[in-house]
Amino acid sequence: MPSFDLRVPAVLLRVDRNPFHHGTLGAVRSLGRAGIDVHLVADCAGSPVGASRFVHQM
């Protein structure tokens, strides 16, 4: 398992208009499970990624 600097948060920017794009949700879950605070910049109205427990701030 790679070691991460948990003091540095991740900022994800989703530019795909598809609300069910699986790449964003996968990245949020992977980073969140590693203990990294994930901040998301995306239109998440009705999107599963908006309800993810791993998103620290939108």
Side-chain angles (χ1 to χ4, degrees):
M1 175 106 168
S3 61
F4 299 105
D5 187 356
L6 302 179
R7 297 171 296 172
V8 180
V11 177
L12 297 178
L13 172 64
R14 183 175 73 191
V15 294
D16 188 354
R17 292 181 182 236
N18 181 0
F20 296 104
H21 187 262
H22 63 278
T24 307
L25 183 57
V28 166
R29 285 181 175 170
S30 295
L31 292 168
R33 286 182 181 145
I36 298 171
D37 287 341
V38 179
H39 303 275
L40 180 64
V41 179
D43 180 16
C44 295
S47 175
V49 74
S52 175
R53 66 181 178 181
F54 297 112
V55 175
H56 187 262
Q57 185 176 12
M58 291 181 34

